[in-house]
Structures are given as structure tokens and as C-alpha cells.
Amino acid sequence: MKKLMVIILLIGAASYATAQNQSSSYPVYSGKDLGLTYSPTAATFKIWAPTATAAKLNLYKSDMGGNAIRSINLSKGENGVWYITVTENLKNSYYTFQVHIGNAWSEEVVDPYAKACGTNGLRAQVIDLKETNPIGWAGDKSPNFSSANKQTDAIIYELHVRDASIHTSSGIKNKGKYLGLAEVGTKNSAGLTTGLSHIKELGVTHVHLLPFYDYNSVDETKSEVQYNWGYDPVNYNIPEGSYSTNPADGKVRIKELKELIKTMHSNGLRIIMDVVYNHTALTKNANFNILVPDYYYRKRADGSFSDASSCGNETASDNAMFQKFMIESVVYWVNEYHIDGFRFDLMGIHDIETMNLISDTLRKIKPSIVLYGEGWTSSSSPLPDEKRALKRNAAQLNGIAVFSDDMRDGIKGSVFNINDRGFATGQIENSESVKFGIVAAGKHPQINYSKVNYSKEPYTASPAGLINYADCHDNNILWDKIELSFKDASVAERTKMHELAYAIVLTAQGASFLHAGTEFLRTKNGVENSFDKGDIVNSINWDLKTQNNASYTFIKSLIQIRRAHPAFRMQTAQQIAAHLNFEKNLPTGIIAYTINGAAVGDRWKEIWVAYNGKQTPQTISLPKGTWKVGLSSKGSSKSANNYTLAGSSAVILYGE
Ligand code: CA
């Protein structure tokens, strides 16, 4: 989601502590059975609403409109739980709850623990989850991936479900749907692969899908004409309906999403879910807040909702029952949907303890899980900085990586200043920020931290703690950023800069991350924040793959090299400090380094990497040895003991 600014909060901590003491007076329910427990002979409903004096269940025939068939009072259980068991087969009926708080009944709400719902998530649905499994689901298996804590092996491809297929050039039938992304063998007009087959061909390890839990902003009855990224959660444990072929029947979206996941898995791809537990789309009328007013959110001293998300509220992961909700939610997605990783939006809003509990819990279930998040907030939070999962606290996170904005902006210039340039666009003063990214924001004897753009000290404990990237869904896509900040440059020059940017990302230590389509110079026509700007801006034009095939081939080759060579995916900061050595006495605008491949088990015994941030060619002398070319930008050449790097170019040499 959009990062507006990072503010260090000093005031308000004392009053927040008072509010927390009040929250701790709520009972905590530790059972794992909140929500619906279904069988053909009985359905048990449990909600947590400790401040309610009564609660009732409303049963409906349809997902929208009409009156309730029945309303049934719930019984009061322990620790704030209300429950009822209905001893009949309620399969396929829809339901809501109401709670009586103060002197009034609340409006109807969907239980946050619900697992299925009808159109627009207005009513939950009783379903038999077993009926949502596509053929072959029992045999669905995630492709092999490194064992625990080797996140550096991940090459992540960030994609929006609808963007992948909606453009006419996709050759995909089920446009905009889960099933569209599940189509294989699809092609553009030139016969080049599109959609899932393209991603497989590109060679990434993980597909990170922008939010696909049930979100608020697209009316599921009008999904042909509406668009949103989906960073506005309603039902966390239910897939979004607008990507399904029938949002009214809760089983359909579940089955179609599982079909997509199964197809990804069988094509060697793992799936990462973008999750937004940091805020809810609605505030006062959010499901959480109706059931237990104020409990799930942080408040300011004056009683108003604090808003570190800049979306109207921020959740309180430091409150026991929201921490429990987050943990059970991610576990549910892994167990029921076979999800392989999570990207936590505005992770800096969540407390460190909760994030580490999530990591520890998930790694017990799936040791190869990939976890990362945004180590910042959008505005200030009342929870003290030292407790939150901010980038500067990254070393305290167990196996959860943070995005490197230092590297991102070091490569291309600040995302907040349209004219600003980075190392790849000729602003060679950003070299140290790029070097900091190359060593995965860890401790390295050759980094001058005082010259790094944002962080003045290392913040990761290991390279597994960092995601290196040049662009993502937020802010201008790389191609547009280059164009907007360097209007004088020709298309050919900008293409070289773009390729250099990705050469840096894909050779750097830490995990790599690409925004979908950027491998063939995708553009959003200069639109900076396209979250609701529709298909015209956001859709992936697959004909660009034909037009910019040389860039695509270059980036694909970088991915192949990265996957084949552990030297680019070292596992400890100590290895990087010992075996990655920056060359000294270089012309300005050159970053060059050697990696002792032999020391980290690479068949390339010695590796030499260089980037030329200047637009003019530069010649540098090579270290002693016999060098072969692993990959080189166009126009660069080797002669005897020298290497001439074309302007805005990269090269990888190796000795065997
Ligand atoms: Ca929705």
C-alpha cells in the first residue's frame, strides 16, 4: 500500500499505555473454535463479544435481500464467547450476527472468523469446505523450495490477479478472474507466452498476489467495470468475490482460488499472499468494531481512532484477541489453501512479538514459508517505535524480511520526488546506498554507512532479512520513473538504465523482488498511484513482451544466473562480509566487486560483477585471472586485462 511518510512518534506513548491497560481487562478466549464448526448434522457458531449482554444468529436463504428465516439467541459461554449449536444441516444457508451492547442491538455483522460469504461479504455462508476442493487437491504439493530460513533463494514476482489477464493481448479467456491466471499455454498476438506460462518461463520462484482476501472497494455485482488493488480488507479469511465467476455462492470463489493455486504449484511456482491486517476498510462500522467496540483498534488519548495506516484506523496486534486472530488467520490460509508465504502490508504497525509468533507458528507447519513486509507505517502510531516491526528493528524479527527502500531509491531516486534520480539513472552519488543493498543491509567492513540515503547503520541480522527491489505496485513503475526523472534520455538510453537497475537487484544479496511486467518495460503511463485507476492504466499489455523482448531476455538470463549460483544468495552476513569484496580505486560511477564463489559452494570459483552508473563507457582493469562472461549488457567488451563497460550497463564475469 501507499507509503506516505515515516514519522517517528514520541508523544502519546503514555496515554496509549493507559488504553492498553483497559484492553488487558478484557477476557481472553484461547479456544481455536471461534467461527463456524460445520457437520451435516450440526453447526456450532461461536463469536467473541465480551461487552455484549445478548447475541443472536440470523439465518438467511440468500446472500442479499429478503428477511431472515430465523433468528436464534446465542448462549453465554466462558471468556466473552457466545455460542449456539443448531442440530440440523444448515449447508449453503447464509448468516449474520447481532450483539446487544448498552441499550441497543447492533446492526448485522459477519463474524471475522467466517470462511465463506456471499456477494460483497455482507452475509457469511455455511458451507462444507470439503466441497470446495478441486479435482486433485489432495495431491496438491508446493514445489520444492529451500528449507527453513533460506529466504534468499526467493525470486518474487508481484502481480495483481486482474492485471494479469484483463488486457486483450493476454489471449486468456477468463479475463480478470482466478481462473484466468490459472490458464496455461496462453499466448499474445506474436505467439509469445502470457499469464502463468510466461511467469513459469521467466523463472521466478514465487508469485506474490496483491490482496485476494475479501475486500471492500469493488462492488462484486459490477466487477466488469470496477477496479481496485484491494488494500481495504473486509473478510480476512475469505477470498475476494470479484475474481470469481460467481460471488453469490461462497463455494465458487474458494474452489476457483484453489484451482489457481494448484495450477501454480504444478507449474513449479509458489504463491505468496499479500495481507493487510494493519487496518480495516471500515472503522466504526467494521465487523470487529461492532462486535467489540474499540477493542481491536488503537486509540489516541482523546478517544479517537489512531491512524498509522492513513486509511482511517490501525489495528492493535498488541491486544491478545487481535494477535490471536492474525495468527489463526495465516495458519488457516496455509492449511486450507496451501499458501507458501505472506507479505505484510505496513508491517511497522504490528508489534514485533506478534510478528515473531506468526513466524514461529508458520515455520512449524511449513518450514519453507517466505515472510516479509513493509518495515514502516504510513503515519504515526501510538505504540512505541521500539515495539513495532519497523525496518530499524528488523534484526529482532525471526525470519521475516523487510523491503529495502534504501536500495530501491538508491537505484532510481526517491519515490517521493519525481525528478530525483538514482545510480542507474546517472546519479552516481547514490553508490553507497546501492552497495548497502548489495550486502543486504548488513554489517560489511567496506560500507560507509554515513553516505547511505536513509539508514545510517546496518539493520538486518542476515541477508534473509532483506527484500531488494527497484519497483513495486506503489509509486511509479520503474519504466515510468526513469522516463519522468530523465526526460532528455532516449528510449534506448532509458532501456539500458532499466536493465541496469534490474541487474543490480538480481545480483544483490538478500531476496529479489520484481513487479509484474517490468521485465518487458511495463508502463502505467506515468500514473503514480494507480490503486483505483482501472484497467486502462493497470492492465499488463502482453504485446510489450514482443516489443521489448531483448530486455525480457536480459532479465530472464539474470534470473537464471541467480538461481544457478548460490554466490548471489549467501545465507549469512558473515559470509557476505568475508567473501564479497568491493574493488577499490575505481573511476567514479563504477561499482565493482568480487565474490569468492568457491568459499560459498559455487561452481564459479571467482565472480566479478560491475555496474556503470554513468551514461558514458568506462574502462577498468580486471583482477588477475582468466575471466569468462556470464552476462553482459550490450556494447560492453573485454580486452586482455581490461573491461570496457558501456554507459548504464552491467557485467558478470567468472573464473572456473
Ligand atoms: Ca469483496
Side-chain angles (χ1 to χ4, degrees), residues 120-121 214-216 218 220 240-242 253:
N120 288 332
D214 179 31
Y215 61 78
N216 193 48
V218 167
E220 297 174 6
E240 164 60 14
S242 64
R253 59 180 80 186

mmCIF file with all atom_site columns, all heavy atoms in Angstrom, residues 120-121 214-216 218 220 240-242 253, ligand 1:
data_model
loop_
_atom_site.group_PDB
_atom_site.id
_atom_site.type_symbol
_atom_site.label_atom_id
_atom_site.label_alt_id
_atom_site.label_comp_id
_atom_site.label_asym_id
_atom_site.label_entity_id
_atom_site.label_seq_id
_atom_site.pdbx_PDB_ins_code
_atom_site.Cartn_x
_atom_site.Cartn_y
_atom_site.Cartn_z
_atom_site.occupancy
_atom_site.B_iso_or_equiv
_atom_site.pdbx_formal_charge
_atom_site.auth_seq_id
_atom_site.auth_comp_id
_atom_site.auth_asym_id
_atom_site.auth_atom_id
_atom_site.pdbx_PDB_model_num
ATOM   1  N  N   . ASN A 1 120 ? -20.305 -9.453  -1.998 1.00 0.00 ? 120 ASN A N   1
ATOM   2  C  CA  . ASN A 1 120 ? -19.811 -8.298  -1.233 1.00 0.00 ? 120 ASN A CA  1
ATOM   3  C  C   . ASN A 1 120 ? -19.605 -8.576  0.256  1.00 0.00 ? 120 ASN A C   1
ATOM   4  O  O   . ASN A 1 120 ? -19.501 -7.644  1.058  1.00 0.00 ? 120 ASN A O   1
ATOM   5  C  CB  . ASN A 1 120 ? -20.742 -7.087  -1.417 1.00 0.00 ? 120 ASN A CB  1
ATOM   6  C  CG  . ASN A 1 120 ? -20.587 -6.499  -2.814 1.00 0.00 ? 120 ASN A CG  1
ATOM   7  O  OD1 . ASN A 1 120 ? -19.529 -6.598  -3.420 1.00 0.00 ? 120 ASN A OD1 1
ATOM   8  N  ND2 . ASN A 1 120 ? -21.655 -5.900  -3.324 1.00 0.00 ? 120 ASN A ND2 1
ATOM   9  N  N   . GLY A 1 121 ? -19.545 -9.836  0.619  1.00 0.00 ? 121 GLY A N   1
ATOM   10 C  CA  . GLY A 1 121 ? -19.223 -10.179 2.008  1.00 0.00 ? 121 GLY A CA  1
ATOM   11 C  C   . GLY A 1 121 ? -20.229 -9.688  3.016  1.00 0.00 ? 121 GLY A C   1
ATOM   12 O  O   . GLY A 1 121 ? -19.888 -9.478  4.179  1.00 0.00 ? 121 GLY A O   1
ATOM   13 N  N   . ASP A 1 214 ? -11.271 -11.040 0.903  1.00 0.00 ? 214 ASP A N   1
ATOM   14 C  CA  . ASP A 1 214 ? -12.453 -10.265 0.511  1.00 0.00 ? 214 ASP A CA  1
ATOM   15 C  C   . ASP A 1 214 ? -12.275 -8.792  0.896  1.00 0.00 ? 214 ASP A C   1
ATOM   16 O  O   . ASP A 1 214 ? -12.198 -8.464  2.076  1.00 0.00 ? 214 ASP A O   1
ATOM   17 C  CB  . ASP A 1 214 ? -13.690 -10.840 1.208  1.00 0.00 ? 214 ASP A CB  1
ATOM   18 C  CG  . ASP A 1 214 ? -14.951 -10.075 0.856  1.00 0.00 ? 214 ASP A CG  1
ATOM   19 O  OD1 . ASP A 1 214 ? -15.017 -9.551  -0.267 1.00 0.00 ? 214 ASP A OD1 1
ATOM   20 O  OD2 . ASP A 1 214 ? -15.851 -10.009 1.713  1.00 0.00 ? 214 ASP A OD2 1
ATOM   21 N  N   . TYR A 1 215 ? -12.190 -7.951  -0.107 1.00 0.00 ? 215 TYR A N   1
ATOM   22 C  CA  . TYR A 1 215 ? -12.018 -6.514  0.161  1.00 0.00 ? 215 TYR A CA  1
ATOM   23 C  C   . TYR A 1 215 ? -13.237 -5.712  -0.251 1.00 0.00 ? 215 TYR A C   1
ATOM   24 O  O   . TYR A 1 215 ? -14.186 -6.245  -0.838 1.00 0.00 ? 215 TYR A O   1
ATOM   25 C  CB  . TYR A 1 215 ? -10.727 -5.995  -0.460 1.00 0.00 ? 215 TYR A CB  1
ATOM   26 C  CG  . TYR A 1 215 ? -10.575 -6.089  -1.961 1.00 0.00 ? 215 TYR A CG  1
ATOM   27 C  CD1 . TYR A 1 215 ? -11.206 -5.188  -2.809 1.00 0.00 ? 215 TYR A CD1 1
ATOM   28 C  CD2 . TYR A 1 215 ? -9.746  -7.057  -2.524 1.00 0.00 ? 215 TYR A CD2 1
ATOM   29 C  CE1 . TYR A 1 215 ? -11.028 -5.259  -4.187 1.00 0.00 ? 215 TYR A CE1 1
ATOM   30 C  CE2 . TYR A 1 215 ? -9.574  -7.135  -3.903 1.00 0.00 ? 215 TYR A CE2 1
ATOM   31 C  CZ  . TYR A 1 215 ? -10.215 -6.242  -4.728 1.00 0.00 ? 215 TYR A CZ  1
ATOM   32 O  OH  . TYR A 1 215 ? -10.044 -6.312  -6.090 1.00 0.00 ? 215 TYR A OH  1
ATOM   33 N  N   . ASN A 1 216 ? -13.226 -4.446  0.086  1.00 0.00 ? 216 ASN A N   1
ATOM   34 C  CA  . ASN A 1 216 ? -14.441 -3.636  0.088  1.00 0.00 ? 216 ASN A CA  1
ATOM   35 C  C   . ASN A 1 216 ? -14.723 -2.872  -1.200 1.00 0.00 ? 216 ASN A C   1
ATOM   36 O  O   . ASN A 1 216 ? -15.868 -2.644  -1.555 1.00 0.00 ? 216 ASN A O   1
ATOM   37 C  CB  . ASN A 1 216 ? -14.339 -2.632  1.249  1.00 0.00 ? 216 ASN A CB  1
ATOM   38 C  CG  . ASN A 1 216 ? -15.652 -1.953  1.557  1.00 0.00 ? 216 ASN A CG  1
ATOM   39 O  OD1 . ASN A 1 216 ? -16.683 -2.619  1.670  1.00 0.00 ? 216 ASN A OD1 1
ATOM   40 N  ND2 . ASN A 1 216 ? -15.632 -0.649  1.674  1.00 0.00 ? 216 ASN A ND2 1
ATOM   41 N  N   . VAL A 1 218 ? -14.471 -2.961  -4.521 1.00 0.00 ? 218 VAL A N   1
ATOM   42 C  CA  . VAL A 1 218 ? -15.100 -3.342  -5.788 1.00 0.00 ? 218 VAL A CA  1
ATOM   43 C  C   . VAL A 1 218 ? -16.474 -3.947  -5.486 1.00 0.00 ? 218 VAL A C   1
ATOM   44 O  O   . VAL A 1 218 ? -16.583 -4.884  -4.700 1.00 0.00 ? 218 VAL A O   1
ATOM   45 C  CB  . VAL A 1 218 ? -14.218 -4.348  -6.566 1.00 0.00 ? 218 VAL A CB  1
ATOM   46 C  CG1 . VAL A 1 218 ? -14.999 -4.989  -7.703 1.00 0.00 ? 218 VAL A CG1 1
ATOM   47 C  CG2 . VAL A 1 218 ? -12.972 -3.659  -7.095 1.00 0.00 ? 218 VAL A CG2 1
ATOM   48 N  N   . GLU A 1 220 ? -19.056 -6.342  -6.102 1.00 0.00 ? 220 GLU A N   1
ATOM   49 C  CA  . GLU A 1 220 ? -18.935 -7.633  -6.787 1.00 0.00 ? 220 GLU A CA  1
ATOM   50 C  C   . GLU A 1 220 ? -20.062 -7.888  -7.777 1.00 0.00 ? 220 GLU A C   1
ATOM   51 O  O   . GLU A 1 220 ? -19.989 -8.827  -8.569 1.00 0.00 ? 220 GLU A O   1
ATOM   52 C  CB  . GLU A 1 220 ? -18.824 -8.760  -5.745 1.00 0.00 ? 220 GLU A CB  1
ATOM   53 C  CG  . GLU A 1 220 ? -17.553 -8.612  -4.904 1.00 0.00 ? 220 GLU A CG  1
ATOM   54 C  CD  . GLU A 1 220 ? -17.446 -9.610  -3.765 1.00 0.00 ? 220 GLU A CD  1
ATOM   55 O  OE1 . GLU A 1 220 ? -18.291 -10.507 -3.662 1.00 0.00 ? 220 GLU A OE1 1
ATOM   56 O  OE2 . GLU A 1 220 ? -16.501 -9.468  -2.963 1.00 0.00 ? 220 GLU A OE2 1
ATOM   57 N  N   . GLU A 1 240 ? -11.607 -12.875 -2.173 1.00 0.00 ? 240 GLU A N   1
ATOM   58 C  CA  . GLU A 1 240 ? -12.360 -11.805 -2.828 1.00 0.00 ? 240 GLU A CA  1
ATOM   59 C  C   . GLU A 1 240 ? -13.312 -12.397 -3.875 1.00 0.00 ? 240 GLU A C   1
ATOM   60 O  O   . GLU A 1 240 ? -12.936 -13.294 -4.644 1.00 0.00 ? 240 GLU A O   1
ATOM   61 C  CB  . GLU A 1 240 ? -11.366 -10.827 -3.475 1.00 0.00 ? 240 GLU A CB  1
ATOM   62 C  CG  . GLU A 1 240 ? -11.934 -9.872  -4.504 1.00 0.00 ? 240 GLU A CG  1
ATOM   63 C  CD  . GLU A 1 240 ? -13.024 -8.938  -3.968 1.00 0.00 ? 240 GLU A CD  1
ATOM   64 O  OE1 . GLU A 1 240 ? -13.187 -8.817  -2.740 1.00 0.00 ? 240 GLU A OE1 1
ATOM   65 O  OE2 . GLU A 1 240 ? -13.730 -8.343  -4.804 1.00 0.00 ? 240 GLU A OE2 1
ATOM   66 N  N   . GLY A 1 241 ? -14.526 -11.849 -3.914 1.00 0.00 ? 241 GLY A N   1
ATOM   67 C  CA  . GLY A 1 241 ? -15.545 -12.392 -4.808 1.00 0.00 ? 241 GLY A CA  1
ATOM   68 C  C   . GLY A 1 241 ? -15.463 -11.918 -6.241 1.00 0.00 ? 241 GLY A C   1
ATOM   69 O  O   . GLY A 1 241 ? -15.890 -12.618 -7.159 1.00 0.00 ? 241 GLY A O   1
ATOM   70 N  N   . SER A 1 242 ? -14.900 -10.713 -6.457 1.00 0.00 ? 242 SER A N   1
ATOM   71 C  CA  . SER A 1 242 ? -14.920 -10.180 -7.828 1.00 0.00 ? 242 SER A CA  1
ATOM   72 C  C   . SER A 1 242 ? -13.983 -10.944 -8.757 1.00 0.00 ? 242 SER A C   1
ATOM   73 O  O   . SER A 1 242 ? -14.101 -10.840 -9.974 1.00 0.00 ? 242 SER A O   1
ATOM   74 C  CB  . SER A 1 242 ? -14.562 -8.683  -7.830 1.00 0.00 ? 242 SER A CB  1
ATOM   75 O  OG  . SER A 1 242 ? -13.243 -8.475  -7.391 1.00 0.00 ? 242 SER A OG  1
ATOM   76 N  N   . ARG A 1 253 ? -15.791 -19.066 -5.219 1.00 0.00 ? 253 ARG A N   1
ATOM   77 C  CA  . ARG A 1 253 ? -14.536 -18.310 -5.134 1.00 0.00 ? 253 ARG A CA  1
ATOM   78 C  C   . ARG A 1 253 ? -13.432 -19.139 -4.472 1.00 0.00 ? 253 ARG A C   1
ATOM   79 O  O   . ARG A 1 253 ? -12.270 -19.045 -4.840 1.00 0.00 ? 253 ARG A O   1
ATOM   80 C  CB  . ARG A 1 253 ? -14.744 -16.983 -4.406 1.00 0.00 ? 253 ARG A CB  1
ATOM   81 C  CG  . ARG A 1 253 ? -15.280 -17.132 -2.993 1.00 0.00 ? 253 ARG A CG  1
ATOM   82 C  CD  . ARG A 1 253 ? -15.487 -15.814 -2.277 1.00 0.00 ? 253 ARG A CD  1
ATOM   83 N  NE  . ARG A 1 253 ? -16.723 -15.112 -2.645 1.00 0.00 ? 253 ARG A NE  1
ATOM   84 C  CZ  . ARG A 1 253 ? -17.038 -13.901 -2.223 1.00 0.00 ? 253 ARG A CZ  1
ATOM   85 N  NH1 . ARG A 1 253 ? -16.214 -13.240 -1.421 1.00 0.00 ? 253 ARG A NH1 1
ATOM   86 N  NH2 . ARG A 1 253 ? -18.173 -13.329 -2.559 1.00 0.00 ? 253 ARG A NH2 1
HETATM 87 CA CA  . CA  B 2 .   ? -15.246 -8.002  -1.881 1.00 0.00 ? 1   CA  B CA  1
#
